[in-house]
Amino acid sequence: MKNQPITGYILAGGKSSRMGTDKGLLLFEGKPMIQYVIDQMQAVFTKVVIVSIGIGV
């Protein structure tokens, strides 16, 4: 089978009501969590898409 482009999706968003702060911006291994996840996924997928819905907009 040929290598085919595969897209990875990151589901983001939510109120963070229990955490009280945006989880995606918390530092993990010296960088914001969302950037860490993007970096890891880019090593596997040919395209990475973040899917997010604004709350209270």
Side-chain angles (χ1 to χ4, degrees):
M1 183 187 319
K2 285 184 175 181
N3 289 336
Q4 296 183 7
I6 299 176
T7 301
Y9 292 88
I10 300 170
L11 302 179
K15 291 183 182 180
S16 294
S17 56
R18 289 180 292 166
M19 189 105 191
T21 187
D22 189 340
K23 294 180 286 277
L25 299 179
L26 292 175
L27 292 183
F28 183 76
E29 305 236 344
K31 55 178 88 171
M33 177 71 77
I34 189 65
Q35 186 62 57
Y36 179 84
V37 172
I38 291 168
D39 293 346
Q40 297 300 305
M41 290 184 68
Q42 284 180 330
V44 177
F45 299 101
T46 53
K47 183 177 180 181
V48 176
V49 175
I50 300 172
V51 179
S52 177
I53 297 175
I55 301 297
V57 176

